[in-house]
Amino acid sequence: MKSSIAIALLVSTLPVCAQDLEVLAAETRETVLPVVPEVVAAMQDAMAREGVAGAIPVCRDLAPKLVGKKREETGWVIRRVSLKTRNPERATPDAWEIVQLADFDRRAASGERPETLEKSEIVSVDGRPVLRYMKALPVSDVCLNCHGPAEGLDPELRRKLSETYPDDRAIGYVKGQIRGALTVKRPL
Ligand code: HEC
């Protein structure tokens, strides 16, 4: 009896209706996604000025820094994850994220536009509702410089990457594949 009351209370606190989810997802998108074009622009700029190897700090330092700023502003957990990580310490996905990343790969392979792939869901964590949001980060031309097939990579860049990332799995991608995702956990 007690447990059924607890469940009823829990369910009543979850804004489960589809409209709520769409509103929350839209807010999350608007708050978090501006980081993506900011990073890409900085990357193109750094590459034009300093060459490919000189742009490593953009993906290594600037992207996590901008994501960290959003984290501070919102209190949400925001990070980048991938099924084939370059930096496993930062970017190893959890079980929910693995499912979504695999689904993004499947959807991209079956012809969905990779830049449109996203997922939002309200889940319960320790009895509290949390919005989970994920947005695919597709491989565009600029990404191939550092995540493309090994034989096409600049030798200086390969040397620097292997020094910092001995377990680098984030090469061999082609345009349109899913490099990873931006992932958000937003307590409600
Ligand atoms: C100049 C080289 C460079 C370019 C260009 C580049 N990246 Fe990266 N990328 C890196 C490095 C270095 C890391 C490791 C970052 C770290 O240490 O957290 C990384 C990590 C990532 C991660 C985090 C997951 C992981 O594997 O650790 C994602 C996602 C990612 N890159 C996506 C992209 C996308 C999408 C593009 C194109 C828009 C891109 N990168 C272009 C160098 C690059």
Side-chain angles (χ1 to χ4, degrees), residues 12-185:
S12 68
T13 63
L14 289 173
V16 280
C17 92
Q19 245 171 342
D20 286 346
L21 179 59
E22 191 32 58
V23 169
L24 290 165
E27 269 173 20
T28 307
R29 215 180 273 135
E30 274 162 33
T31 309
V32 175
L33 295 192
V35 166
V36 178
E38 246 184 288
V39 171
V40 175
M43 200 172 274
Q44 276 160 340
D45 189 51
M47 248 173 342
R49 277 187 293 111
E50 297 169 53
V52 185
I56 289 178
V58 176
C59 224
R60 189 193 59 209
D61 307 323
L62 182 72
K65 196 174 131 201
L66 292 177
V67 164
K69 223 171 92 192
K70 285 279 172 206
R71 255 177 113 125
E72 273 168 30
E73 283 165 22
T74 57
W76 309 341
V77 178
I78 311 170
R79 62 190 192 117
R80 295 186 301 177
V81 287
S82 175
L83 290 177
K84 294 202 307 169
T85 50
R86 176 155 287 166
N87 188 335
E89 265 172 52
R90 283 179 175 163
T92 299
D94 68 18
W96 187 88
E97 289 158 342
I98 289 172
V99 172
Q100 313 315 327
L101 286 165
D103 196 47
F104 288 164
D105 282 345
R106 189 191 53 71
R107 286 162 64 187
S110 65
E112 274 188 65
R113 282 179 34 230
E115 61 279 13
T116 63
L117 297 173
E118 61 168 12
K119 169 77 183 179
S120 30
E121 187 175 331
I122 295 166
V123 301
S124 170
V125 178
D126 300 329
R128 290 167 180 272
V130 172
L131 175 77
R132 299 213 63 170
Y133 173 80
M134 237 163 95
K135 169 81 178 171
L137 298 170
V139 174
S140 60
D141 284 325
V142 67
C143 319
L144 294 175
N145 287 296
C146 299
H147 296 294
E151 55 283 8
L153 298 182
D154 173 84
E156 161 77 355
L157 173 91
R158 283 186 75 170
R159 196 181 53 74
K160 284 201 172 163
L161 286 178
S162 63
E163 269 171 21
T164 318
Y165 307 102
D167 303 319
D168 189 6
R169 295 170 63 218
I171 51 170
Y173 285 89
V174 297
K175 197 174 164 178
Q177 285 184 320
I178 306 303
R179 175 63 267 276
L182 202 57
T183 180
V184 180
K185 279 194 259 182

